[in-house]
Amino acid sequence: MSRSFGFDRGTPVDRYFIESFLDRHRELVRGAALEVGDDTYLRRFGGNGVTAVDILHIDASSDAATIIGDMSDPATLPEAKFDCLIVTQTLHLVYDMPAAVRNLYHALKPGGTLLMTVPGITPIARDRWKETWYWSVTPAGAGRLFADAFGPGDFRVEFYGNVFAAVAFLEGVATEEVARAKLNLKDESYPVIVAVRATRASAD
């Protein structure tokens, strides 16, 4: 149906899951906040609760970015600055994922929260990002990554998807073209999106 994730037909299935996850946790989108690429989700889900915005981008030509660099580089992100980090569909583009997760942890203030999504079952982009599309992530893999950086009990891994949603997404069918009830069913064998809510301990 589409070779561009379904963007040309409507809302991609993975975006439906990502936005459902962020909507469920919108009360955490607050204070000094950072998003990767642009501030679309900070504005949509944080609103007036967000008091300061930073945008991280790896490309120095980005007009919107306030921080330029690779999140796996410890020099990129400031220490203990943010109440909230929104990092959607980015971690799979970072070769050293453990380092990136550690640096995101240190960028949070104590008590701050990271809201992250990564692709599970997915096509690979055909645009500029295909050259650094290194990984897909399972819920078990996300659990190991975040336990090492945040410690047990300070994060929760969720997944979204089932075989119908996976096939629809792989074929580029848009969310508007299928029944939401079919998308909302969850089958752990078919994680289209893996999502993590992780909080830096108040005292560490």
Side-chain angles (χ1 to χ4, degrees):
M1 297 291 188
S2 169
R3 297 301 297 272
S4 59
F5 302 98
F7 275 112
D8 51 338
R9 302 175 66 85
T11 306
V13 169
D14 68 335
R15 288 288 153 182
Y16 170 68
F17 293 143
I18 293 161
E19 291 164 10
S20 296
F21 168 72
L22 293 175
D23 187 50
R24 287 181 49 234
H25 298 297
R26 63 168 61 235
E27 76 282 357
L28 300 171
V29 184
R30 57 181 177 79
L34 175 142
E35 186 172 350
V36 176
D38 58 44
D39 62 351
T40 298
Y41 286 150
L42 285 178
R43 288 186 285 105
R44 178 171 171 182
F45 296 104
N48 294 333
V50 174
T51 57
V53 171
D54 276 288
I55 297 170
L56 171 65
H57 207 293
I58 199 166
D59 189 344
S61 67
S62 169
D63 293 333
T66 59
I67 300 174
I68 300 292
D70 184 335
M71 68 174 65
S72 66
D73 181 347
T76 296
L77 294 171
E79 172 74 24
K81 179 176 180 179
F82 300 105
D83 298 292
C84 178
L85 303 173
I86 292 183
V87 182
T88 56
Q89 306 306 92
T90 303
L91 191 62
H92 64 293
L93 303 173
V94 180
Y95 185 76
D96 191 348
M97 285 198 291
V101 174
R102 288 193 301 271
N103 293 335
L104 291 167
Y105 171 87
H106 288 292
L108 288 168
K109 296 178 182 178
T113 300
L114 165 65
L115 300 174
M116 172 176 284
T117 67
V118 287
I121 298 171
T122 181
I124 294 174
R126 297 158 60 85
D127 59 15
R128 60 180 290 196
W129 302 114
K130 68 181 179 181
E131 301 301 328
T132 56
W133 195 294
Y134 297 119
W135 315 108
S136 288
V137 182
T138 65
R144 285 292 300 271
L145 275 173
F146 279 82
D148 289 346
F150 281 77
D154 291 328
F155 69 93
R156 175 174 176 156
V157 178
E158 307 175 32
F159 76 91
Y160 297 81
N162 57 64
V163 67
F164 174 87
V167 172
F169 182 47
L170 291 173
E171 294 289 358
V173 177
T175 300
E176 292 82 358
E177 298 174 302
V178 297
R180 300 291 175 89
K182 290 185 177 182
L183 295 179
N184 291 338
L185 296 172
K186 293 186 178 184
D187 183 337
E188 62 186 6
S189 296
Y190 300 94
V192 174
I193 285 294
V194 176
V196 181
R197 182 196 69 214
T199 301
R200 181 170 179 172
S202 296
D204 56 8

